[in-house]
Amino acid sequence: MNLDFSPKSLGELDLYFEKSGEKGNEESIDFVKKLGAYLTQVVTKKTGGVWSFPEDEDIPSIRIGGVFLTPLARVLKVLNEGEKLGQWYRVVTDTIPRLQARRPD
Amino acid sequence: MISSEKWRDEQTGRAIWVFERKYPDGLAVIIGDNMSGYRTVHVFVHRDYLAVDDRNKEFFQLLKELYRLLRPMYGNILVREMFRQVGPHPRQRPSGMNLQWGLPDVFWANFLGPEYVEMFGSEKVFSLPCYEAERLHDGGAVFLVSSSPFDCLTDPQGFDQRRLDITRHLGAEAFDTGYDNSPVKVPKFRYEEERKVEEQRRLATPHEKDILARVPRKEWQDWIENNQTIALALVSEM
């Protein structure tokens, strides 16, 4: 598997989870951390998102413009419920910026 | 210092340790689990270091010592350029490593645990069309495709031809094709029963609804600080 921090590599991970059929079995906090870190790196590389981890939050987020996103929570969705990393990436990098662009300042 | 007690007691799927040094020469050692449930040890060395004198031979000796200590089912030494796509179909998986799907490929140095030597047969393993093959202390074997790992850069066609010859000699059915349902020849792995028991134990564990919130805040702060390194650990395991 070519994990080169590209959006395409997220699709390869999705395909891996789809083929292996081991979504729930792979869940462990260390694996969630690793996959969450990888997802964060791919997304921030594209969007320039910055970390957000205020005292009243349990887990770190990334802030992209005015939107706060939690890659770690998304990873749990992927592992437990079969959601797709690639689909989330497209929402983050395409849909959200387009919606934000429509918002009046 | 690695605690052997911690290593023994650590639960499968919960361990990853990263030891990294950037100067004077890049070196990283990553110990942990991969996604298919195998425990893995990766040693990364900057290629400029290995390209000097006979250091690749020294590194090979070091890895043989590591084999003696760890007694793995499989191991290899490679440079990144040796990774290649398995077949032309876009849905085929690039070569990764899950031994249940077959051997990942032929790389520069290839360590085969005793189960592989038994599966292929000693005669076949030690008559490989390779540069050098050696029997290991536990009945396993190691073979080199050529004299240097950098031959894949200086003579890529020749190196690939040797890889192909070796693959054919061992039988292509023992290698991961990237297809889901292709028949794969795999040995009876010595840790298989242990893995099944561990997997069943993990499945029987009640689902933790919010495992993220139970992680101490300090751990998340460390996760942020080392985010790129942790992401690279995933890269190395897949």
Side-chain angles (χ1 to χ4, degrees), chain A residues 33 36-37 51 72, chain B residues 219-227 230:
Chain A
K33 283 180 178 178
W51 290 109
L72 288 161
Chain B
E219 276 192 38
W220 287 132
Q221 287 166 338
D222 292 342
W223 181 79
I224 291 172
E225 282 180 19
N226 301 303
N227 199 264
I230 295 167

Side-chain angles (χ1 to χ4, degrees), chain B residues 23-88:
Chain B
Y23 304 101
D25 293 292
L27 171 69
V29 178
I30 300 178
I31 303 170
D33 298 330
N34 75 5
M35 293 182 64
S36 49
Y38 296 109
R39 287 184 163 173
T40 56
V41 176
H42 299 267
V43 181
F44 299 89
V45 182
H46 197 281
R47 68 177 63 194
D48 290 349
Y49 179 82
L50 288 182
V52 175
D53 299 330
D54 284 341
R55 282 178 178 163
N56 61 333
K57 288 175 184 161
E58 188 179 86
F59 188 65
F60 178 50
Q61 290 301 323
L62 178 72
L63 269 285
K64 281 201 288 186
E65 286 300 313
L66 200 58
Y67 180 98
R68 180 177 287 278
L69 288 171
L70 300 176
R71 298 187 61 237
M73 297 185 289
Y74 170 79
N76 62 52
I77 303 176
L78 57 87
V79 293
R80 281 206 178 275
E81 284 80 357
M82 289 176 198
F83 280 125
R84 50 189 178 181
Q85 184 83 19
V86 183

Side-chain angles (χ1 to χ4, degrees), chain B residues 207-221:
Chain B
H207 176 61
E208 297 169 354
K209 191 175 179 182
D210 193 356
I211 62 169
L212 300 177
R214 293 164 64 174
V215 174
R217 187 174 182 82
K218 176 69 172 62
E219 276 192 38
W220 287 132
Q221 287 166 338

Side-chain angles (χ1 to χ4, degrees), chain B residues 164-179:
Chain B
L164 182 63
D165 292 343
I166 290 167
T167 305
R168 284 178 175 157
H169 184 89
L170 290 174
E173 68 278 7
F175 290 85
D176 185 1
T177 62
Y179 284 112

Side-chain angles (χ1 to χ4, degrees), chain A residues 1-5 8 12-13 15-20 22 24-41 51-61 71-74 76 79-80, chain B residues 12-16 32-37 90-98 101 178-180 199 202-203 207-213 215 217 219-221 223-224 227-228 230-235 237-238:
Chain A
M1 187 176 294
N2 184 23
L3 296 186
D4 56 1
F5 296 91
K8 189 182 168 194
E12 290 189 22
L13 282 164
L15 189 59
Y16 174 86
F17 293 129
E18 192 179 317
K19 286 201 301 186
S20 66
E22 294 180 338
N25 302 357
E26 294 297 344
E27 184 190 325
S28 74
I29 191 60
D30 278 295
F31 182 68
V32 170
K33 283 180 178 178
K34 284 182 274 184
L35 186 56
Y38 184 83
L39 180 60
T40 303
Q41 290 293 318
W51 290 109
S52 171
F53 194 21
E55 287 295 327
D56 58 347
E57 291 291 341
D58 289 326
I59 56 173
S61 303
L72 288 161
R74 186 55 44 180
L76 278 188
L79 297 176
N80 292 332
Chain B
T12 301
R14 291 181 180 274
I16 174 159
D33 298 330
N34 75 5
M35 293 182 64
S36 49
R91 283 185 68 83
Q92 277 185 285
R93 184 180 56 255
S95 58
M97 195 172 81
N98 183 334
W101 297 341
Y179 284 112
D180 286 348
E199 189 176 312
R202 288 168 64 190
L203 284 171
H207 176 61
E208 297 169 354
K209 191 175 179 182
D210 193 356
I211 62 169
L212 300 177
V215 174
R217 187 174 182 82
E219 276 192 38
W220 287 132
Q221 287 166 338
W223 181 79
I224 291 172
N227 199 264
Q228 193 172 21
I230 295 167
L232 284 169
L234 181 79
V235 174
E237 290 178 12
M238 297 291 290

Side-chain angles (χ1 to χ4, degrees), chain A residues 60-76:
Chain A
S61 303
I62 50 173
R63 181 172 60 78
I64 303 169
V67 179
F68 291 82
L69 302 157
T70 50
L72 288 161
R74 186 55 44 180
V75 163
L76 278 188

